[in-house]
Amino acid sequence: MLELRWGAKGLKAADRGRAVLLAGAAWLALCGSAQAQQPLATIPAAPAPAPAVDDGLGDNGYYLESDLLIRDDANQKMIARGDVEARYQGRTLRADEVVYDTKTEVITAHGHVTLINADGTAQFADDMTMDKDMKAGFARHVSARMDKNIKIAADSAVRRNDQITELNKAIYTPCEVCAEKPKPTWSIQADKVVQDKTKHLVYYHGATIRMWGAPLMYLPVFWHPDPETERRSGFLVPKIGISKKRGLVYQQPYLFVISPSQDLVVSPQINTKVNPFLNATYRKRFYSGYLEARVGGTYDKDFDNHGDRFGEATAKSYILAKGLFDIDKNWKWGFTAERASQALIFDDYDIGDVYQQRGMFSPDDHRLMSQIYATRQSDRSYFSASVVSVQGLRVVQVNPGNGIANQFENSGAFPVIGPLIEGRWEPEGHILGGRLRLQGSGVMLTRSESQFGEPPYAYAAYKGKDGVDSVRGTLEGDWRGNLIVGPGLRVEPFAQARGDAYRVSDVFLPPSAMAAGDSTTNINYSRGLGVAGVDLSLPMFKPLKNGGSVVLEPLVQLAAGSDSSRVPIVVARDPSGNPIYFNEDSTNFELDETNLFDVNKSPGFDLYEGGTRMNVGGRATLKFADGRGGSVLLGRSLRTKVDPLMPTRAGLDQKASDWIVAATVTPIRGVTAFTRARFDDDTSKLNRLEAGLDASNSRGFGSLRYLKDNRDTSGLRQENLDFIGDYMVSKHWGVTALGRLAYQDARAFGLPAKDSDWSWTRRDLGVYYKDDCIRLDVIYQNEDRYTQTTNGLKLRSDQSVVMRLTLATLGDTLYTD
């Protein structure tokens, strides 16, 4: 064997040949990907190249090895034969023979030509020829294995110049291909594939998409952006479907690259039953933040769940926008803008990813939230200021006197929250041996219409009246210590002091005052609150012989201070004349293990839990070395006197609260169950129960959730069962299921309680096939949804069969019927 090492200063001709041989071989990394280029924010980050092995060659040194090296001065050729291997700048080239013509400066490689790149990707050919400038060349029987397991093969490859490369009789697939599986699950075959770097496009001529070797779709000509280009305008993957509401649906996104930092995706939705709908998404990144806005609209009549149109045509539109920006290292500001012209626009046109957290506050399902906010955070302090507006899209039931009717929420009854100011500060060191925190908050609420004229109140006397407005300011000091006494008794003394000031406007006066000519008034109110106490716990730990542990922990909290307090301002009266007190932020809360040992269990400011009380409980935890185990907590709250201000449904209004039980258990690996329950103190009746089970293994997963509440916030019984599962029956076939079984309380519809019954509100059942490069789902869906009809809003069953085809690297196409 003849082995040569050439440094950076080798012979001029040989050095030129080496450069052409190795650096020029990179042209074999030809583009065969048929996936449409995706927008800026959806493209996964490219993996960092694998670091080159330090072989001592440096940036300019190279290595050449072969069984035989011939220098033919007569023909001015240099020939390497037999297991030729050359390395340069992290690349390795192997071939049976490599010939360099020093006269024409043309390099050719023959037999089992292989180029291995530093990142592990590889290209192969039987023969390769390149000119001296690497601008033109030819390769025969070309193939390549690229990132994401993409494989490309072609009868021949021609590089016309440094901008144009052609593949003839080419095939592209990300699927496994081997002797046992010669036909990939899916592939794209084309008579010719042309990569044009000048236009940043890849063209296909005579392309056929095949599934298991059988032709699925023929496209005479199509093109997409060059994947070697960072970003390029062009068509994205379309969506095709059949909908009962909209008929045949075709949605074709197009990406406009405006600049390196901004783009626009326009996605028209063409429907056969209803008018087209146009969606668009604009994004821009700034040096200090980003902006994203989704908008859409159409001009059409209303239509029901069968696509039958009625009424007058109107403009329908929506906006979902957000932005977040850095002011400096501590300050940020941001906003969201969420509005829809019609409540059903997202359901009617199948617009997804709507009810998400885009800003500092998160909206509820079927509600939109617009906000603008600024925050400042440092090691010892936090400050925020915000303004929030809510649009309700939910359907609610009302009783017009002769029966139950459905209507949308009145957004005018929601307050505009703003400004909402919150802040806290902690000194650097301990104060009196403990942590001191000073907090402050203030909020202004403004309504255009009274909330008491809308569901769930719907009192006719307040319909259309001005809403109750309010301003609140709060200052609070919170001190807590921490020390260990004796054999491990944890003692945490605490003290809190708080002051609130309110101004409540547009409060309706009683009839006697209204008869005198006054209808509303403004009321000022202030109060001081305080509490002191101590948390005690004594964890007892015992290790197990084979690993794991047992921990028993009794828990006690003693607290005494101001009596329970609510803002004593009557803002409305029900039809029987009973008062409704001001309460904006503490209308509902549950007593459970998460707040049993809170000093003030009320989640807001308007209702305050006070008095002398003792919260007691115990927790036991068992853990094994193999991950099995469980924990259980039992507790309750005890008071020195009855507290009529605490909510009855939470079991806190009596001297002894309901019993709280919470448990989690992992009996075997991959299976976890939990439950939390509240039992009546006097009757031991189960008042509320939440339970769930999660299971997973190598074949799939399943989740089950059950909720029972004997009395929800509207005084009705709530009970439902939710489940979801996915299980692989065999190597490639699986089944999926999703559903909700709910208890329908007839009293919500003005009917006798005896007419209540269970019903399915959603049930999906599907089967799917998947392998390394394809997934095909067929799913039956049945869901109760509200729809517009000529007789108003009606709850109707919406049935469909969905087939989803997902091809690796090509995105997915959706077909529905």
Side-chain angles (χ1 to χ4, degrees):
M1 176 181 290
L2 176 65
E3 177 178 320
L4 298 179
R5 284 183 179 269
W6 291 341
K9 298 181 179 179
L11 296 175
K12 181 177 181 181
D15 191 63
R16 183 68 173 273
R18 177 264 301 172
V20 175
L21 171 65
L22 294 171
W27 78 280
L28 282 172
L30 301 171
C31 169
S33 174
Q35 66 178 359
Q37 187 168 358
Q38 300 181 34
L40 174 67
T42 61
I43 300 176
V53 177
D54 185 6
D55 52 11
L57 297 178
D59 292 335
N60 297 317
Y62 66 95
Y63 175 89
L64 176 63
E65 177 182 308
S66 65
D67 291 342
L68 179 64
L69 182 62
I70 301 173
R71 178 169 178 172
D72 187 349
D73 293 332
N75 295 312
Q76 301 184 32
K77 291 182 180 180
M78 186 177 295
I79 305 169
R81 289 177 181 165
D83 292 331
V84 181
E85 179 175 320
R87 296 198 298 268
Y88 176 66
Q89 292 186 345
R91 292 191 180 96
T92 299
L93 177 67
R94 297 190 180 103
D96 293 341
E97 181 182 78
V98 176
V99 179
Y100 173 56
D101 191 321
T102 59
K103 181 178 180 181
T104 60
E105 296 187 316
V106 171
I107 186 171
T108 58
H110 305 286
H112 305 97
V113 181
T114 301
L115 173 68
I116 302 175
N117 299 303
D119 60 3
T121 59
Q123 292 83 41
F124 312 91
D126 283 355
D127 300 284
M128 180 190 74
T129 302
M130 286 291 294
D131 69 357
K132 63 178 181 179
D133 297 319
M134 299 175 289
K135 293 182 178 180
F138 173 83
R140 186 171 60 88
H141 296 163
V142 180
S143 61
R145 182 182 293 273
M146 304 174 70
D147 191 24
K148 299 180 182 179
N149 205 29
I150 292 172
K151 291 167 283 293
I152 307 163
D155 280 355
S156 63
V158 180
R159 181 166 179 160
R160 302 295 182 186
N161 50 54
D162 57 354
Q163 300 296 321
I164 303 294
T165 301
E166 296 178 4
L167 291 174
N168 298 303
K169 299 297 182 182
I171 182 172
Y172 160 92
T173 183
C175 308
E176 289 298 329
V177 182
C178 57
E180 294 78 12
K181 189 181 178 182
K183 295 182 179 179
T185 305
W186 74 268
S187 62
I188 297 178
Q189 291 181 259
D191 295 335
K192 181 181 290 187
V193 180
V194 179
Q195 179 188 28
D196 189 334
K197 293 185 178 181
T198 303
K199 298 181 179 180
H200 305 288
L201 292 173
V202 176
Y203 298 90
Y204 292 80
H205 301 271
T208 301
I209 299 177
R210 293 181 176 271
M211 303 284 293
W212 291 282
L216 177 67
M217 182 183 300
Y218 176 76
L219 299 170
V221 178
F222 80 100
W223 61 90
H224 64 77
D226 185 353
E228 291 186 0
T229 305
E230 184 177 353
R231 287 196 307 138
R232 179 71 175 178
S233 299
F235 288 103
L236 306 177
V237 178
K239 290 186 177 181
I240 304 171
I242 299 175
S243 166
K244 287 185 177 180
K245 287 184 176 183
R246 291 170 287 133
L248 181 64
V249 181
Y250 181 82
Q251 187 165 330
Q252 177 59 71
Y254 189 88
L255 169 67
F256 292 93
V257 178
I258 302 172
S259 72
S261 61
Q262 61 181 325
D263 60 32
L264 173 68
V265 177
V266 178
S267 183
Q269 181 189 99
I270 310 300
N271 310 291
T272 58
K273 284 188 176 181
V274 299
N275 287 352
F277 193 93
L278 181 63
N279 294 282
T281 301
Y282 172 78
R283 287 169 301 187
K284 181 173 176 60
R285 292 190 178 275
F286 302 86
Y287 74 95
S288 61
Y290 70 91
L291 167 68
E292 179 178 327
R294 292 173 56 193
V295 296
T298 187
Y299 186 82
D300 201 0
K301 299 179 180 180
D302 290 332
F303 54 89
D304 60 19
N305 62 331
H306 295 289
D308 296 330
R309 296 189 291 178
F310 55 88
E312 297 294 329
T314 58
K316 305 178 182 182
S317 61
Y318 74 88
I319 181 172
L320 303 170
K322 64 179 178 180
L324 182 63
F325 303 89
D326 294 330
I327 300 174
D328 57 29
K329 68 176 183 178
N330 293 326
W331 281 94
K332 298 178 183 292
W333 79 275
F335 75 93
T336 68
E338 301 180 354
R339 278 297 184 268
S341 63
Q342 291 188 334
L344 295 179
I345 189 171
F346 301 112
D347 294 330
D348 286 345
Y349 293 95
D350 288 336
I351 300 167
D353 300 328
V354 175
Y355 309 106
Q356 297 182 338
Q357 181 169 351
R358 294 181 173 86
M360 188 165 64
F361 303 101
S362 177
D364 294 332
D365 185 53
H366 279 78
R367 284 175 179 166
L368 301 178
M369 182 177 289
S370 299
Q371 54 192 295
I372 184 169
Y373 56 91
T375 63
R376 183 190 185 279
Q377 185 166 1
S378 64
D379 293 340
R380 314 297 303 179
S381 65
Y382 174 82
F383 174 83
S384 69
S386 56
V387 177
V388 182
S389 175
V390 177
Q391 180 185 10
L393 305 181
R394 293 181 180 176
V395 176
V396 293
Q397 285 83 39
V398 295
N399 190 342
N402 297 321
I404 298 297
N406 298 318
Q407 71 176 40
F408 292 114
E409 292 177 313
N410 181 5
S411 296
F414 288 99
V416 174
I417 306 170
L420 169 60
I421 299 173
E422 298 177 300
R424 66 175 180 266
W425 174 77
E426 295 182 12
E428 182 80 24
H430 284 180
I431 305 296
L432 299 178
R435 182 266 302 157
L436 176 64
R437 176 180 295 166
L438 302 179
Q439 301 179 87
S441 71
V443 65
M444 178 182 293
L445 305 179
T446 306
R447 286 185 175 88
S448 59
E449 296 185 47
S450 174
Q451 68 270 39
F452 303 109
E454 304 296 332
Y457 304 100
Y459 301 149
Y462 298 96
K463 184 70 175 178
K465 303 293 185 179
D466 290 339
V468 175
D469 303 333
S470 64
V471 178
R472 175 188 57 80
T474 297
L475 291 175
E476 181 177 1
D478 181 358
W479 177 89
R480 179 173 289 270
N482 189 339
L483 65 153
I484 305 297
V485 177
L489 176 66
R490 183 186 295 273
V491 180
E492 296 185 5
F494 61 83
Q496 293 181 0
R498 194 178 98 189
D500 299 326
Y502 288 85
R503 178 177 176 83
V504 184
S505 307
D506 293 332
V507 176
F508 278 82
L509 298 177
S512 58
M514 297 178 67
D518 297 328
S519 60
T520 63
T521 187
N522 301 328
I523 301 176
N524 297 324
Y525 171 75
S526 61
R527 63 184 177 183
L529 305 166
V531 64
V534 61
D535 285 328
L536 304 172
S537 65
L538 182 60
M540 292 174 284
F541 175 85
K542 180 180 180 179
L544 300 178
K545 291 183 179 180
N546 297 324
S549 62
V550 177
V551 179
L552 301 178
E553 185 179 12
L555 304 165
V556 177
Q557 182 185 78
L558 302 173
S562 306
D563 289 337
S564 294
S565 176
R566 67 182 173 199
V567 180
I569 299 176
V570 178
V571 292
R573 294 183 181 273
D574 65 19
S576 299
N578 299 315
I580 300 175
Y581 292 93
F582 178 88
N583 189 356
E584 294 284 3
D585 59 13
S586 304
T587 57
N588 176 50
F589 63 91
E590 295 292 340
L591 174 64
D592 57 29
E593 78 281 5
T594 64
N595 60 8
L596 176 61
F597 293 96
D598 286 352
V599 178
N600 176 22
K601 297 179 181 61
S602 176
F605 291 88
D606 300 337
L607 179 63
Y608 180 82
E609 182 196 13
T612 302
R613 66 268 189 194
M614 178 173 64
N615 302 315
V616 297
R619 179 165 47 216
T621 303
L622 172 65
K623 292 184 179 180
F624 293 102
D626 59 2
R628 294 178 299 124
S631 67
V632 61
L633 182 144
L634 175 68
R636 68 190 311 193
S637 181
L638 304 172
R639 311 183 63 84
T640 58
K641 61 181 179 180
V642 173
D643 191 346
L645 298 187
M646 291 294 102
T648 301
R649 65 175 299 271
L652 278 172
D653 57 329
Q654 301 300 313
K655 286 186 178 181
S657 75
D658 288 353
W659 283 96
I660 300 300
V661 180
T664 302
V665 61
T666 303
I668 59 176
R669 181 173 297 180
V671 176
T672 300
F674 77 89
T675 183
R676 56 167 57 100
R678 181 163 52 84
F679 294 91
D680 189 272
D681 172 57
D682 295 325
T683 65
S684 298
K685 178 182 177 182
L686 180 63
N687 287 330
R688 181 179 172 86
L689 173 66
E690 292 181 66
L693 177 68
D694 297 310
S696 63
N697 59 22
S698 59
R699 286 183 171 268
F701 67 90
S703 180
L704 187 69
R705 295 289 184 271
Y706 173 75
L707 169 66
K708 180 181 180 181
D709 194 337
N710 289 335
R711 185 180 180 184
D712 65 10
T713 55
S714 59
L716 302 175
R717 173 181 167 186
Q718 181 185 5
E719 192 170 0
N720 54 63
L721 178 69
D722 297 272
F723 64 87
I724 184 172
D726 187 303
Y727 187 75
M728 292 294 297
V729 179
S730 65
K731 181 179 179 181
H732 297 298
W733 290 94
V735 294
T736 62
L738 181 150
R740 163 168 282 201
L741 184 62
Y743 178 83
Q744 302 296 330
D745 195 327
R747 293 173 295 172
F749 302 92
L751 301 174
K754 64 181 181 63
D755 294 334
S756 302
D757 199 3
W758 286 85
S759 66
W760 289 97
T761 58
R762 181 171 183 180
R763 51 191 183 272
D764 298 357
L765 182 63
V767 60
Y768 63 87
Y769 172 90
K770 74 172 184 178
D771 58 21
D772 58 302
C773 61
I774 187 174
R775 176 163 175 149
L776 175 64
D777 294 83
V778 179
I779 303 173
Y780 166 78
Q781 296 180 337
N782 188 325
E783 182 176 6
D784 290 345
R785 292 182 178 179
Y786 282 98
T787 184
Q788 288 279 11
T789 70
T790 54
N791 296 321
L793 283 168
K794 300 296 181 182
L795 187 63
R796 294 286 186 262
S797 177
D798 185 12
Q799 301 181 21
S800 63
V801 175
V802 178
M803 184 174 71
R804 185 186 303 271
L805 177 64
T806 305
L807 303 178
T809 75
L810 285 185
D812 60 68
T813 305
L814 182 65
Y815 302 87
T816 62
D817 186 13

